[in-house]
Amino acid sequence: MNRRFPNILRLLLTPKSLSRGLFARMTLVMFLAVLAILGIASTAVRAEVDQIFDQQLVLGANLLVNLMGEELSDIRKAGSSSVMEVDDMPVLSNEDRQAFDAYADWRMFRIWYRGELRLKSDTGPSLAVPKSADASTFHVVKEDGQAWRIYTLAATGGNVMVQVGERLGVRDELVRNIALELAAPFVGIAIVLLVLIWVSLRSGLRDLDGFSARLAEQRGRPPFTSVRSEDWPAELDQLTSVINGLFRRIEDSLQHERTFTEMAAHQLRTPLAALSLEAQLCARIDDPAELKTRLIALTAATTRIAKLADQLLVLARLGAVEDRDVNICMHALIGQLLAEVAPVIAQRRIDVALEGEDFTFEGAETALRLALSNLIENALFYTEAGSEVVIHLAVDAATNSGTIEVRDRGPGMSPADRSQAFNRFWRAPTNKSNGSGLGLAIARDAAQALGGRISLRDRDDGLAGLVAVLILPQRFPN
């Protein structure tokens, strides 16, 4: 028990605690329920007290008429208009006077004869002359900060009007005392219920604690084991599904990282070995002409390694940072990409034609540039010198999608080669550019980041060559 108490305090003081949040809500509900019960009880008690005290006023007025029958007859016979108080009435016995004095601080009476006040108690507010319409009615009079409830009764044919009153503060005090007596057990019951609610909450959330402990065991220790939803309450199904999805993504990411690292290390091993060999040969050559030839080869090897490293970095970072979607004009973007490879086009005397219907696409410009630049570079490297490359644009109105075809005049690919073309580091047997085998893989990943896809097919005109088709999704701006 002593060890559990600090845990309870820790949960209550935690800025974001599920237990504390639920307990606070239940406490609020309990508090509102107690207030509602007390409010309803107070209203009911007040109504009951008012009814009982009003009945007492009516009964008191009738008893006053019966008990003071002789005095009322004397009032009718006497011609004097003086007002008599209780102590001035000789006909009253000592017991009657003591009875009047006992309630003098909160009860009062007035007796009127033909509109003139004849008898009255020592206390009470000043009252106006009652009218016949006031008979058998209640009304409230306020004087000196006190409210009095007055009942008027007509007697002896309406010539005598008897008014009996009571200070309302007495009723308020009685209702308040009853409410306090009711509140005490309710507060005690509420405290007991809150303790039971806290114990029930902690017992009910024990499964969540076990769930957290299970996750803590796997923290930082792959491979991650999926959490079985059937081992936990149904309320945790959605959470287990999300966590299992996260575990799968982490495992896929780690596996991808391991595969990529192994493939990159393998791919860089041979160029680095060749570069080292070229450097060793350069160190042994004394002939300046031969040394120049070796240095040129060394520079070319260094350039290939640098390009390979850049492609590896692009492939590793693709999709890691989400680019902001912008409106991209296809003709303008392809024109920029062709300008970047203009020296290659001029050197190889390749004619490049841009055909078809221009359209605007809304998406990440970086990913689209990567996809198109790699398709165009592949087409230029494989196309025979002096030949042509055609870039054709089209919009499919039925699917509201855009298609970009890059048609080259290279050796083409067999169906078996096309099935492997998008594998990383795979190079076709007809590859004459000594590339890294990452161009199409980068283009595919970039297209997938855009929500599109890339496919390869033969030319439709029967000529040798390959057609790379990039299909963009239905995300065209108005």
Side-chain angles (χ1 to χ4, degrees):
M1 183 66 182
N2 293 334
R3 288 184 299 177
R4 291 176 58 86
F5 185 70
N7 292 334
I8 295 175
L9 286 179
R10 177 179 58 81
L11 290 172
L12 290 175
L13 297 177
T14 301
K16 292 183 179 180
S17 168
L18 181 60
S19 299
R20 192 185 68 170
L22 292 174
F23 184 71
R25 290 179 178 86
M26 294 302 296
T27 302
L28 178 61
V29 171
M30 183 68 65
F31 177 73
L32 295 177
V34 170
L35 287 182
I37 292 173
L38 291 178
I40 294 173
S42 297
T43 303
V45 169
R46 183 57 190 250
E48 191 70 21
V49 168
D50 286 341
Q51 182 179 3
I52 293 174
F53 275 62
D54 285 348
Q55 290 175 352
Q56 289 181 351
L57 287 178
V58 174
L59 180 61
N62 285 279
L63 287 176
L64 188 62
V65 171
N66 293 327
L67 292 175
M68 301 184 67
E70 296 181 2
E71 288 78 2
L72 294 177
S73 298
D74 294 342
I75 290 175
R76 291 197 303 272
K77 294 177 182 179
S80 175
S81 60
S82 61
V83 180
M84 299 177 59
E85 294 186 356
V86 174
D87 294 338
D88 300 331
M89 298 172 62
V91 296
L92 292 179
S93 64
N94 292 330
E95 289 80 5
D96 292 336
R97 287 190 176 89
Q98 290 177 358
F100 278 113
D101 291 339
Y103 298 97
D105 59 337
W106 61 283
R107 287 280 178 89
M108 55 79 64
F109 74 91
R110 299 287 187 272
I111 297 177
W112 304 78
Y113 178 70
R114 292 184 178 180
E116 294 182 358
L117 181 62
R118 292 300 183 87
L119 296 175
K120 71 182 185 71
S121 61
D122 298 336
T123 57
S126 299
L127 299 177
V129 178
K131 301 177 182 178
S132 58
D134 297 331
S136 302
T137 62
F138 292 90
H139 68 281
V140 177
V141 176
K142 293 184 178 180
E143 185 177 274
D144 297 332
Q146 292 186 345
W148 293 78
R149 187 167 177 81
I150 309 298
Y151 176 71
T152 305
L153 177 66
T156 63
N159 291 326
V160 177
M161 303 291 287
V162 178
Q163 289 181 314
V164 179
E166 182 180 69
R167 187 162 51 86
L168 289 180
V170 175
R171 302 186 183 189
D172 296 336
E173 184 177 357
L174 179 61
V175 172
R176 185 164 52 251
N177 292 336
I178 296 176
L180 290 177
E181 292 178 359
L182 290 175
F186 271 114
V187 171
I189 293 173
I191 293 175
V192 173
L193 287 178
L194 288 177
V195 173
L196 294 176
I197 288 173
W198 174 256
V199 174
S200 300
L201 280 176
R202 293 308 305 154
S203 177
L205 294 176
R206 189 174 296 116
D207 286 333
L208 188 59
D209 293 338
F211 189 81
S212 301
R214 172 71 179 275
L215 295 180
E217 292 176 359
Q218 295 185 348
R219 186 184 304 170
R221 296 188 338 185
F224 299 102
T225 305
S226 297
V227 180
R228 288 165 47 90
S229 59
E230 55 268 23
D231 294 340
W232 306 100
E235 288 78 7
L236 297 179
D237 283 350
Q238 186 175 0
L239 181 60
T240 57
S241 177
V242 172
I243 291 176
N244 287 334
L246 180 61
F247 282 169
R248 286 192 295 270
R249 291 175 59 186
I250 294 175
E251 285 290 345
D252 292 343
S253 177
L254 292 176
Q255 181 61 36
H256 171 75
E257 182 181 348
R258 287 192 293 267
T259 302
F260 181 80
T261 302
E262 293 172 359
M263 297 178 68
H266 178 271
Q267 195 67 21
L268 287 172
R269 185 182 298 115
T270 300
L272 288 175
L275 184 64
S276 177
L277 181 60
E278 289 289 347
Q280 293 175 13
L281 291 175
C282 289
R284 299 173 183 175
I285 296 175
D286 296 329
D287 184 7
E290 185 179 356
L291 179 60
K292 182 178 180 180
T293 302
R294 291 294 183 183
L295 288 176
I296 292 174
L298 183 63
T299 302
T302 304
T303 302
R304 288 194 299 271
I305 293 176
K307 183 179 180 180
L308 176 60
D310 289 340
Q311 288 181 315
L312 289 172
L313 289 175
V314 169
L315 192 60
R317 295 174 180 174
L318 185 62
V321 179
E322 295 185 1
D323 201 359
R324 183 172 59 90
D325 289 348
V326 295
N327 294 337
I328 306 168
C329 176
M330 286 300 157
H331 272 183
L333 177 60
I334 293 174
Q336 295 174 11
L337 296 176
L338 292 177
E340 294 175 0
V341 294
V344 177
I345 296 174
Q347 181 184 10
R348 306 196 63 207
R349 304 183 309 279
I350 297 176
D351 293 332
V352 179
L354 180 58
E355 302 175 349
E357 178 184 359
D358 187 21
F359 61 86
T360 301
F361 173 72
E362 183 180 2
E365 184 177 2
T366 302
L368 187 57
R369 277 180 170 273
L370 284 173
L372 289 176
S373 63
N374 279 281
L375 294 181
I376 293 173
E377 288 179 9
N378 271 3
L380 293 176
F381 286 141
Y382 281 98
T383 296
E384 295 289 341
S387 186
E388 67 173 359
V389 170
V390 177
I391 303 174
H392 182 79
L393 279 65
V395 175
D396 189 344
T399 61
N400 195 27
S401 60
T403 301
I404 303 172
E405 295 184 354
V406 182
R407 307 168 184 168
D408 64 40
R409 291 294 302 278
M413 281 189 184
S414 65
D417 289 342
R418 287 200 297 269
S419 65
Q420 304 181 67
F422 294 103
N423 294 338
R424 295 173 180 176
F425 306 110
W426 183 86
R427 288 181 290 185
T430 55
N431 190 335
K432 302 181 298 180
S433 63
N434 197 25
S436 62
L438 288 174
L440 287 178
I442 293 175
R444 177 200 59 191
D445 290 352
Q448 290 177 351
L450 293 168
R453 66 182 186 277
I454 295 178
S455 61
L456 302 176
R457 63 175 174 82
D458 294 329
R459 293 176 64 101
D460 296 332
D461 51 13
L463 299 175
L466 188 69
V467 180
V469 183
L470 170 61
I471 300 178
L472 296 173
Q474 305 174 6
R475 289 192 302 173
F476 298 96
N478 296 329

